Amino acid sequence: PATMRRDLLEVGIDPELFDSNVIIAKTPYEAAEKAHALATLTEWDEFRTLDLPKIYDLMLKPAFVFDGRAVLPAAALKAHGFDAFVIGKG
């Protein structure tokens, strides 16, 4: 979490704006809870093996996924009820 905050502040994000608007979740499941949308912005392997039904159940509906790195299986996302948008393929 400290690294994410530092990286954003280094590119000019106002610290007060960051602190009042950004919550860094400890797990993907914590991030999904009561969210309408999720975005994957990394290619980390831990995001390739998520429990998609669990995430869907935690989210508000409609549940959107924006996969910015094309790491999640689009067909599986849609099969589990997500409105999925894979935007990481060129």
Side-chain angles (χ1 to χ4, degrees):
T3 302
M4 287 184 254
R5 185 178 190 280
R6 184 192 69 234
D7 289 350
L8 289 170
L9 297 181
E10 284 179 1
V11 296
I13 301 296
D14 181 280
E16 288 181 32
L17 181 64
F18 178 90
D19 292 337
S20 64
N21 289 288
V22 176
I23 298 169
I24 299 173
K26 293 178 184 169
T27 69
Y29 305 101
E30 181 183 324
E33 192 168 353
K34 296 183 182 174
H36 268 295
L38 297 175
T40 56
L41 305 174
T42 180
E43 296 172 4
W44 293 351
D45 286 338
E46 67 190 83
F47 294 103
R48 296 177 190 270
T49 58
L50 295 172
D51 183 338
L52 297 178
K54 179 179 179 177
I55 288 179
Y56 185 80
D57 289 342
L58 290 168
M59 293 179 69
L60 296 173
K61 310 309 179 278
F64 297 93
V65 173
F66 299 93
D67 188 358
R69 296 293 190 175
V71 298
L72 300 173
L77 288 168
K78 291 178 182 178
H80 289 295
F82 292 98
D83 287 319
F85 302 89
V86 178
I87 53 178
K89 292 184 178 182

XYZ file of all heavy atoms in Angstrom:
700
model
N 0.802 -1.219 0.000
C 0.000 0.000 0.000
C 0.833 1.267 0.000
O 0.511 2.204 -0.690
C -0.847 -0.109 1.259
C -0.923 -1.570 1.561
C 0.369 -2.144 1.032
N 1.907 1.273 0.759
C 2.749 2.468 0.807
C 3.380 2.727 -0.556
O 3.525 3.885 -0.962
C 3.820 2.312 1.878
N 3.723 1.660 -1.272
C 4.324 1.811 -2.596
C 3.328 2.416 -3.573
O 3.679 3.303 -4.356
C 4.819 0.451 -3.120
O 5.761 -0.072 -2.188
C 5.467 0.587 -4.477
N 2.082 1.958 -3.537
C 1.064 2.511 -4.431
C 0.867 4.002 -4.167
O 0.795 4.795 -5.097
C -0.261 1.775 -4.259
C -0.260 0.398 -4.854
S -1.876 -0.358 -4.718
C -1.560 -1.529 -3.420
N 0.785 4.363 -2.901
C 0.589 5.770 -2.535
C 1.779 6.597 -3.029
O 1.623 7.643 -3.652
C 0.421 5.910 -1.027
C 0.098 7.328 -0.594
C -0.117 7.394 0.927
N -0.642 8.671 1.338
C 0.099 9.761 1.503
N 1.402 9.731 1.286
N -0.471 10.902 1.872
N 2.991 6.128 -2.740
C 4.196 6.855 -3.149
C 4.254 7.028 -4.664
O 4.539 8.117 -5.166
C 5.442 6.120 -2.655
C 6.737 6.894 -2.962
C 7.994 6.074 -2.753
N 8.037 5.044 -3.788
C 8.172 3.754 -3.553
N 8.267 3.297 -2.336
N 8.195 2.881 -4.547
N 3.954 5.954 -5.398
C 3.999 6.025 -6.859
C 3.030 7.072 -7.401
O 3.358 7.809 -8.329
C 3.690 4.668 -7.480
C 4.815 3.657 -7.280
O 5.915 4.049 -6.824
O 4.580 2.473 -7.573
N 1.841 7.137 -6.825
C 0.862 8.121 -7.296
C 1.255 9.535 -6.909
O 1.083 10.475 -7.695
C -0.530 7.775 -6.765
C -1.148 6.534 -7.405
C -2.394 6.109 -6.658
C -1.457 6.781 -8.871
N 1.812 9.711 -5.727
C 2.243 11.046 -5.320
C 3.403 11.527 -6.171
O 3.500 12.715 -6.492
C 2.617 11.060 -3.836
C 1.490 10.734 -2.863
C 1.985 10.805 -1.428
C 0.288 11.634 -3.061
N 4.281 10.609 -6.587
C 5.428 10.967 -7.426
C 5.013 11.504 -8.792
O 5.755 12.255 -9.402
C 6.366 9.778 -7.596
C 7.210 9.499 -6.378
C 8.133 8.302 -6.554
O 8.143 7.680 -7.644
O 8.837 7.978 -5.585
N 3.836 11.101 -9.279
C 3.385 11.603 -10.585
C 2.494 12.827 -10.442
O 1.884 13.264 -11.410
C 2.686 10.506 -11.423
C 3.663 9.391 -11.751
C 1.448 9.980 -10.736
N 2.417 13.371 -9.229
C 1.737 14.643 -9.053
C 0.357 14.616 -8.439
O -0.314 15.645 -8.382
N -0.103 13.467 -7.970
C -1.408 13.408 -7.313
C -1.307 14.134 -5.977
O -0.374 13.920 -5.207
C -1.856 11.946 -7.087
C -1.938 11.191 -8.412
C -3.162 11.875 -6.311
C -2.964 11.710 -9.372
N -2.263 14.992 -5.703
C -2.294 15.740 -4.446
C -2.493 14.767 -3.279
O -3.429 13.961 -3.306
C -3.443 16.744 -4.502
C -3.536 17.574 -3.251
O -4.083 17.061 -2.249
O -3.078 18.725 -3.268
N -1.640 14.827 -2.246
C -1.765 13.892 -1.117
C -3.131 13.939 -0.437
O -3.675 12.898 -0.065
C -0.672 14.332 -0.147
C 0.279 15.124 -0.958
C -0.511 15.711 -2.095
N -3.698 15.120 -0.284
C -5.015 15.232 0.348
C -6.089 14.588 -0.524
O -6.993 13.922 -0.018
C -5.358 16.689 0.627
C -4.546 17.292 1.753
C -4.932 18.730 2.028
O -6.116 19.088 1.851
O -4.038 19.491 2.423
N -5.986 14.781 -1.833
C -6.936 14.174 -2.759
C -6.832 12.652 -2.687
O -7.846 11.957 -2.630
C -6.665 14.658 -4.184
C -7.582 14.146 -5.271
C -9.011 14.637 -5.043
C -7.090 14.600 -6.629
N -5.613 12.149 -2.660
C -5.404 10.707 -2.550
C -5.999 10.183 -1.246
O -6.776 9.232 -1.246
C -3.911 10.372 -2.618
C -3.627 8.907 -2.467
C -3.582 8.084 -3.571
C -3.433 8.344 -1.211
C -3.343 6.724 -3.432
C -3.185 6.996 -1.060
C -3.142 6.184 -2.177
N -5.626 10.801 -0.137
C -6.043 10.296 1.173
C -7.552 10.340 1.374
O -8.110 9.497 2.069
C -5.342 11.076 2.287
C -3.846 10.806 2.322
O -3.406 9.750 1.817
O -3.111 11.662 2.861
N -8.214 11.277 0.740
C -9.662 11.390 0.935
C -10.477 10.580 -0.082
O -11.686 10.463 0.068
C -10.095 12.854 0.888
O -9.856 13.412 -0.388
N -9.822 9.995 -1.090
C -10.563 9.304 -2.142
C -10.107 7.889 -2.463
O -10.787 7.192 -3.209
C -10.499 10.117 -3.441
C -11.309 11.368 -3.347
O -12.527 11.321 -3.357
N -10.636 12.514 -3.213
N -8.980 7.462 -1.944
C -8.443 6.162 -2.322
C -8.391 5.251 -1.098
O -7.891 5.637 -0.042
C -7.028 6.295 -2.928
C -6.430 4.923 -3.222
C -7.071 7.133 -4.194
N -8.917 4.058 -1.270
C -8.811 3.014 -0.253
C -8.062 1.860 -0.905
O -8.452 1.379 -1.974
C -10.204 2.537 0.208
C -10.972 3.680 0.851
C -10.066 1.351 1.152
C -12.435 3.361 1.097
N -7.005 1.424 -0.278
C -6.226 0.310 -0.809
C -6.652 -0.944 -0.053
O -6.424 -1.070 1.149
C -4.719 0.562 -0.677
C -4.343 1.818 -1.478
C -3.925 -0.657 -1.152
C -2.918 2.273 -1.298
N -7.289 -1.850 -0.773
C -7.781 -3.086 -0.170
C -6.639 -4.078 -0.002
O -5.693 -4.091 -0.795
C -8.875 -3.688 -1.045
N -6.773 -4.940 1.001
C -5.743 -5.944 1.265
C -5.870 -7.151 0.352
O -4.891 -7.839 0.089
C -5.805 -6.377 2.721
C -5.423 -5.260 3.665
C -5.542 -5.683 5.105
C -5.243 -4.476 5.980
N -5.573 -4.721 7.374
N -7.083 -7.415 -0.130
C -7.300 -8.562 -1.010
C -8.245 -8.147 -2.137
O -9.008 -7.191 -2.000
C -7.947 -9.749 -0.264
O -9.293 -9.404 0.067
C -7.156 -10.119 0.990
N -8.238 -8.892 -3.242
C -9.204 -8.612 -4.306
C -10.645 -8.771 -3.822
O -11.535 -8.055 -4.266
C -8.876 -9.644 -5.378
C -7.477 -10.061 -5.108
C -7.291 -9.934 -3.621
N -10.853 -9.677 -2.886
C -12.209 -9.925 -2.379
C -12.690 -8.753 -1.528
O -13.851 -8.366 -1.592
C -12.246 -11.252 -1.622
C -11.737 -12.371 -2.494
C -10.449 -12.850 -2.346
C -12.521 -12.895 -3.517
C -9.959 -13.848 -3.183
C -12.055 -13.879 -4.349
C -10.765 -14.353 -4.187
O -10.280 -15.329 -5.034
N -11.799 -8.169 -0.764
C -12.138 -6.972 0.004
C -12.466 -5.821 -0.946
O -13.395 -5.058 -0.715
C -10.964 -6.596 0.912
C -11.215 -5.374 1.782
C -9.999 -4.992 2.609
O -9.259 -5.875 3.071
O -9.794 -3.774 2.787
N -11.721 -5.709 -2.016
C -11.961 -4.646 -2.990
C -13.307 -4.826 -3.693
O -13.977 -3.853 -4.031
C -10.844 -4.615 -4.027
N -13.712 -6.064 -3.888
C -14.948 -6.355 -4.614
C -16.203 -6.106 -3.783
O -17.267 -5.836 -4.337
C -14.947 -7.806 -5.086
N -16.077 -6.186 -2.479
C -17.253 -6.107 -1.612
C -18.003 -4.785 -1.793
O -17.453 -3.708 -1.647
C -16.853 -6.277 -0.148
C -18.032 -6.492 0.744
C -17.631 -6.950 2.136
O -16.441 -7.230 2.370
O -18.528 -7.019 2.979
N -19.269 -4.908 -2.207
C -20.186 -3.788 -2.420
C -19.707 -2.803 -3.487
O -20.069 -1.635 -3.476
C -20.472 -3.066 -1.108
C -21.194 -3.959 -0.127
C -21.546 -3.229 1.143
C -22.231 -4.191 2.091
N -22.481 -3.633 3.385
N -18.914 -3.297 -4.433
C -18.473 -2.482 -5.562
C -19.336 -2.811 -6.772
O -19.830 -3.925 -6.908
C -17.012 -2.768 -5.885
N -19.518 -1.850 -7.646
C -20.217 -2.099 -8.906
C -19.241 -2.451 -10.015
O -19.629 -3.045 -11.018
C -21.012 -0.868 -9.349
C -22.413 -0.851 -8.868
N -23.366 -1.762 -9.246
C -23.031 -0.016 -8.013
C -24.518 -1.494 -8.660
N -24.332 -0.435 -7.900
N -17.977 -2.064 -9.847
C -17.013 -2.295 -10.925
C -15.632 -2.588 -10.358
O -15.249 -2.070 -9.315
C -16.935 -1.075 -11.836
N -14.920 -3.435 -11.090
C -13.526 -3.726 -10.790
C -12.721 -3.532 -12.059
O -13.205 -3.779 -13.158
C -13.361 -5.180 -10.322
C -14.052 -5.570 -9.035
C -13.871 -7.065 -8.795
C -13.503 -4.778 -7.867
N -11.472 -3.116 -11.883
C -10.563 -2.970 -13.015
C -9.265 -3.674 -12.691
O -8.713 -3.480 -11.608
C -10.301 -1.495 -13.305
N -8.803 -4.511 -13.588
C -7.482 -5.112 -13.425
C -6.500 -4.265 -14.210
O -6.686 -4.018 -15.400
C -7.434 -6.574 -13.907
O -7.868 -6.630 -15.256
C -8.302 -7.463 -13.055
N -5.472 -3.838 -13.509
C -4.490 -2.944 -14.115
C -3.079 -3.506 -14.006
O -2.108 -2.778 -14.132
C -4.554 -1.566 -13.428
C -5.940 -0.917 -13.423
C -5.936 0.354 -12.595
C -6.416 -0.634 -14.832
N -2.993 -4.793 -13.755
C -1.706 -5.454 -13.604
C -1.782 -6.849 -14.205
O -2.869 -7.386 -14.388
C -1.309 -5.549 -12.116
O -0.051 -6.212 -12.012
C -2.338 -6.319 -11.311
N -0.635 -7.408 -14.494
C -0.571 -8.767 -15.025
C -0.128 -9.760 -13.960
O 0.254 -10.877 -14.272
C 0.386 -8.804 -16.220
C -0.102 -7.974 -17.375
C 0.914 -7.841 -18.492
O 1.991 -8.463 -18.424
O 0.630 -7.098 -19.444
N -0.199 -9.387 -12.700
C 0.235 -10.272 -11.617
C -0.527 -11.581 -11.670
O -1.747 -11.616 -11.854
C 0.030 -9.607 -10.280
C 0.894 -8.406 -10.018
C 1.951 -7.963 -10.769
C 0.760 -7.489 -8.938
N 2.472 -6.835 -10.219
C 1.759 -6.511 -9.089
C -0.117 -7.406 -7.871
C 1.924 -5.470 -8.194
C 0.053 -6.362 -6.980
C 1.056 -5.411 -7.135
N 0.186 -12.673 -11.445
C -0.414 -14.004 -11.510
C -1.548 -14.203 -10.517
O -2.485 -14.944 -10.791
C 0.653 -15.084 -11.288
C 1.563 -15.250 -12.492
O 1.147 -14.873 -13.609
O 2.682 -15.767 -12.316
N -1.488 -13.551 -9.357
C -2.532 -13.751 -8.349
C -3.920 -13.348 -8.855
O -4.930 -13.816 -8.329
C -2.202 -12.998 -7.063
C -2.242 -11.484 -7.203
C -1.683 -10.780 -5.995
O -0.445 -10.637 -5.912
O -2.468 -10.370 -5.129
N -3.988 -12.523 -9.874
C -5.278 -12.113 -10.413
C -5.796 -13.089 -11.473
O -6.940 -12.994 -11.881
C -5.204 -10.692 -10.962
C -4.965 -9.684 -9.879
C -3.721 -9.123 -9.693
C -5.989 -9.320 -9.011
C -3.496 -8.215 -8.673
C -5.775 -8.419 -7.992
C -4.523 -7.863 -7.815
N -4.973 -14.006 -11.902
C -5.386 -14.988 -12.914
C -6.186 -16.142 -12.308
O -6.803 -16.902 -13.027
C -4.158 -15.541 -13.635
C -3.409 -14.492 -14.432
C -2.159 -15.087 -15.074
N -1.324 -14.053 -15.648
C -1.424 -13.602 -16.894
N -2.339 -14.109 -17.697
N -0.618 -12.665 -17.332
N -6.154 -16.287 -10.991
C -6.783 -17.437 -10.341
C -7.839 -17.015 -9.323
O -8.051 -17.700 -8.326
C -5.708 -18.290 -9.643
O -5.014 -17.481 -8.693
C -4.727 -18.868 -10.647
N -8.509 -15.931 -9.563
C -9.528 -15.443 -8.630
C -10.751 -16.357 -8.612
O -11.091 -16.980 -9.618
C -9.964 -14.034 -9.025
C -8.888 -12.961 -8.924
C -9.405 -11.668 -9.528
C -8.464 -12.755 -7.483
N -11.416 -16.410 -7.492
C -12.670 -17.144 -7.342
C -13.785 -16.232 -7.878
O -14.343 -15.407 -7.151
C -12.880 -17.482 -5.870
C -14.121 -18.303 -5.613
O -15.054 -18.291 -6.454
O -14.176 -18.934 -4.549
N -14.070 -16.369 -9.160
C -15.017 -15.458 -9.820
C -16.427 -15.517 -9.234
O -17.045 -14.466 -9.046
C -15.032 -15.720 -11.323
C -13.704 -15.464 -12.044
C -13.834 -15.802 -13.523
C -13.228 -14.037 -11.849
N -16.988 -16.691 -8.919
C -18.318 -16.698 -8.297
C -18.337 -15.964 -6.951
O -19.292 -15.256 -6.642
C -18.630 -18.188 -8.121
C -17.793 -18.881 -9.131
C -16.543 -18.048 -9.238
N -17.271 -16.116 -6.177
C -17.193 -15.414 -4.886
C -17.171 -13.900 -5.088
O -17.877 -13.161 -4.402
C -15.939 -15.865 -4.127
C -15.760 -15.175 -2.782
C -14.522 -15.694 -2.072
C -14.320 -14.992 -0.740
N -13.158 -15.530 -0.010
N -16.376 -13.454 -6.047
C -16.302 -12.020 -6.312
C -17.659 -11.504 -6.777
O -18.130 -10.467 -6.321
C -15.195 -11.711 -7.343
C -13.838 -11.900 -6.669
C -15.328 -10.297 -7.892
C -12.662 -11.654 -7.558
N -18.298 -12.240 -7.673
C -19.609 -11.811 -8.171
C -20.607 -11.695 -7.019
O -21.357 -10.721 -6.942
C -20.115 -12.787 -9.231
C -21.405 -12.343 -9.864
C -21.398 -11.380 -10.865
C -22.626 -12.862 -9.460
C -22.574 -10.950 -11.449
C -23.813 -12.449 -10.041
C -23.782 -11.486 -11.029
O -24.959 -11.053 -11.600
N -20.602 -12.655 -6.119
C -21.525 -12.616 -4.984
C -21.268 -11.433 -4.056
O -22.190 -10.900 -3.453
C -21.445 -13.915 -4.178
C -22.059 -15.094 -4.913
O -22.845 -14.878 -5.875
O -21.761 -16.237 -4.522
N -20.014 -11.011 -3.946
C -19.666 -9.887 -3.075
C -20.067 -8.526 -3.656
O -20.272 -7.573 -2.920
C -18.157 -9.871 -2.807
C -17.604 -10.980 -1.923
C -16.075 -11.000 -2.004
C -18.066 -10.791 -0.490
N -20.190 -8.472 -4.977
C -20.403 -7.186 -5.647
C -21.871 -6.798 -5.717
O -22.761 -7.635 -5.658
C -19.817 -7.236 -7.066
C -18.306 -7.350 -7.074
S -17.623 -7.450 -8.746
C -17.950 -5.784 -9.346
N -22.087 -5.489 -5.864
C -23.417 -4.975 -6.175
C -23.697 -5.281 -7.642
O -22.775 -5.443 -8.444
C -23.469 -3.469 -5.928
C -23.264 -3.015 -4.482
C -23.173 -1.492 -4.420
C -24.372 -3.521 -3.591
N -24.959 -5.357 -7.993
C -25.330 -5.664 -9.372
C -25.968 -4.442 -10.014
O -26.694 -3.730 -9.349
C -26.299 -6.851 -9.426
C -25.868 -8.099 -8.647
C -24.472 -8.563 -8.943
C -24.056 -9.783 -8.155
N -23.596 -9.605 -6.817
N -25.725 -4.178 -11.273
C -24.881 -4.965 -12.172
C -23.413 -4.897 -11.748
O -22.958 -3.900 -11.198
C -25.095 -4.329 -13.535
C -25.498 -2.917 -13.251
C -26.247 -2.971 -11.938
N -22.693 -5.975 -12.040
C -21.278 -6.093 -11.677
C -20.435 -6.006 -12.953
O -20.572 -6.827 -13.850
C -21.026 -7.413 -10.961
N -19.580 -5.008 -13.006
C -18.747 -4.758 -14.179
C -17.296 -5.119 -13.890
O -16.794 -4.871 -12.790
C -18.792 -3.283 -14.576
C -20.155 -2.808 -14.982
C -21.015 -2.235 -14.053
C -20.589 -2.935 -16.290
C -22.275 -1.795 -14.420
C -21.849 -2.506 -16.673
C -22.694 -1.933 -15.731
N -16.622 -5.665 -14.891
C -15.179 -5.911 -14.818
C -14.555 -5.303 -16.057
O -14.984 -5.572 -17.185
C -14.839 -7.410 -14.736
C -13.332 -7.614 -14.844
C -15.359 -8.005 -13.444
N -13.548 -4.475 -15.848
C -12.771 -3.880 -16.924
C -11.363 -4.468 -16.801
O -10.631 -4.148 -15.868
C -12.747 -2.357 -16.813
C -14.120 -1.756 -16.892
C -14.847 -1.509 -15.730
C -14.697 -1.475 -18.112
C -16.130 -0.973 -15.791
C -15.984 -0.941 -18.186
C -16.695 -0.692 -17.024
N -11.030 -5.363 -17.698
C -9.754 -6.072 -17.639
C -8.748 -5.347 -18.512
O -8.688 -5.551 -19.729
C -9.950 -7.519 -18.071
C -8.713 -8.363 -17.862
O -7.674 -7.828 -17.418
O -8.784 -9.569 -18.150
N -7.943 -4.518 -17.900
C -6.989 -3.690 -18.626
C -5.748 -4.408 -19.093
O -4.936 -3.838 -19.820
N -5.580 -5.663 -18.700
C -4.403 -6.425 -19.108
C -4.747 -7.769 -19.728
O -3.867 -8.573 -19.996
C -3.486 -6.660 -17.903
C -2.917 -5.406 -17.319
C -1.977 -4.769 -18.299
N -1.250 -3.688 -17.650
C -0.295 -3.018 -18.217
N 0.075 -3.302 -19.439
N 0.298 -2.038 -17.586
N -6.017 -8.027 -19.942
C -6.481 -9.281 -20.546
C -5.956 -10.498 -19.784
O -5.489 -11.464 -20.369
C -6.098 -9.355 -22.025
N -6.042 -10.449 -18.454
C -5.572 -11.562 -17.627
C -6.715 -12.436 -17.122
O -6.484 -13.537 -16.648
C -4.734 -11.078 -16.422
C -3.483 -10.364 -16.891
C -5.537 -10.230 -15.475
N -7.938 -11.965 -17.211
C -9.085 -12.721 -16.725
C -9.792 -13.397 -17.898
O -9.857 -12.838 -18.994
C -10.054 -11.803 -15.983
C -9.470 -11.085 -14.768
C -10.465 -10.070 -14.230
C -9.085 -12.085 -13.699
N -10.324 -14.576 -17.688
C -11.007 -15.285 -18.783
C -12.359 -14.635 -19.095
O -13.311 -14.754 -18.316
C -11.171 -16.702 -18.231
C -11.147 -16.537 -16.740
C -10.278 -15.354 -16.462
N -12.435 -13.948 -20.200
C -13.638 -13.185 -20.559
C -14.882 -14.067 -20.606
O -15.944 -13.678 -20.105
C -13.434 -12.483 -21.891
N -14.781 -15.253 -21.179
C -15.946 -16.137 -21.264
C -16.420 -16.551 -19.876
O -17.626 -16.596 -19.611
C -15.614 -17.368 -22.100
N -15.492 -16.827 -18.972
C -15.863 -17.213 -17.606
C -16.498 -16.042 -16.869
O -17.469 -16.214 -16.122
C -14.643 -17.722 -16.844
N -15.973 -14.844 -17.060
C -16.569 -13.666 -16.430
C -18.030 -13.536 -16.852
O -18.918 -13.360 -16.013
C -15.802 -12.394 -16.809
C -14.425 -12.223 -16.189
C -13.682 -11.088 -16.878
C -14.530 -11.958 -14.690
N -18.273 -13.626 -18.138
C -19.636 -13.484 -18.657
C -20.519 -14.630 -18.185
O -21.684 -14.423 -17.843
C -19.603 -13.358 -20.168
C -18.976 -12.026 -20.592
C -18.865 -11.859 -22.079
C -18.179 -10.523 -22.364
N -17.989 -10.278 -23.761
N -19.968 -15.842 -18.105
C -20.742 -17.003 -17.651
C -21.168 -16.855 -16.192
O -22.209 -17.373 -15.801
C -19.928 -18.278 -17.832
N -20.387 -16.132 -15.413
C -20.714 -15.925 -13.999
C -21.598 -14.703 -13.776
O -21.924 -14.386 -12.630
C -19.446 -15.813 -13.165
C -18.714 -17.114 -13.029
N -19.231 -18.208 -12.372
C -17.513 -17.512 -13.495
C -18.379 -19.205 -12.421
N -17.333 -18.812 -13.117
N -21.962 -13.998 -14.840
C -22.893 -12.891 -14.715
C -22.300 -11.502 -14.811
O -23.026 -10.510 -14.764
N -20.992 -11.403 -14.933
C -20.358 -10.090 -15.037
C -20.636 -9.446 -16.387
O -20.739 -10.131 -17.400
C -18.837 -10.217 -14.900
C -18.341 -10.614 -13.546
C -18.015 -11.933 -13.279
C -18.180 -9.678 -12.539
C -17.542 -12.317 -12.039
C -17.704 -10.052 -11.296
C -17.390 -11.371 -11.044
N -20.724 -8.130 -16.394
C -20.638 -7.365 -17.631
C -19.137 -7.099 -17.792
O -18.561 -6.283 -17.074
C -21.406 -6.038 -17.525
C -22.902 -6.244 -17.543
O -23.372 -7.069 -18.325
O -23.607 -5.588 -16.747
N -18.496 -7.851 -18.671
C -17.032 -7.842 -18.767
C -16.563 -7.140 -20.036
O -17.114 -7.353 -21.109
C -16.501 -9.264 -18.739
N -15.518 -6.361 -19.869
C -14.909 -5.626 -20.965
C -13.402 -5.865 -20.911
O -12.738 -5.433 -19.977
C -15.213 -4.126 -20.870
C -16.675 -3.841 -20.877
C -17.386 -3.799 -19.666
C -17.371 -3.648 -22.061
C -18.756 -3.546 -19.658
C -18.739 -3.396 -22.055
C -19.421 -3.353 -20.846
N -12.882 -6.587 -21.901
C -11.455 -6.843 -21.963
C -10.864 -5.751 -22.840
O -11.138 -5.675 -24.026
C -11.156 -8.250 -22.545
C -9.662 -8.483 -22.642
C -11.811 -9.306 -21.680
N -10.060 -4.900 -22.202
C -9.516 -3.757 -22.938
C -7.999 -3.840 -23.054
O -7.361 -2.918 -23.495
C -9.938 -2.428 -22.270
C -9.590 -2.424 -20.787
C -11.419 -2.205 -22.458
C -9.936 -1.136 -20.061
N -7.416 -4.981 -22.669
C -5.972 -5.112 -22.654
C -5.378 -5.767 -23.878
O -4.191 -5.983 -23.932
N -6.183 -6.094 -24.872
C -5.639 -6.712 -26.079
C -5.553 -5.677 -27.172
O -6.495 -4.958 -27.441
C -6.523 -7.868 -26.522
C -6.491 -9.035 -25.552
C -7.299 -10.193 -26.098
C -7.184 -11.344 -25.126
N -7.893 -12.528 -25.610
N -4.391 -5.616 -27.801
C -4.177 -4.617 -28.837
C -4.644 -5.059 -30.175
O -5.052 -6.121 -30.446
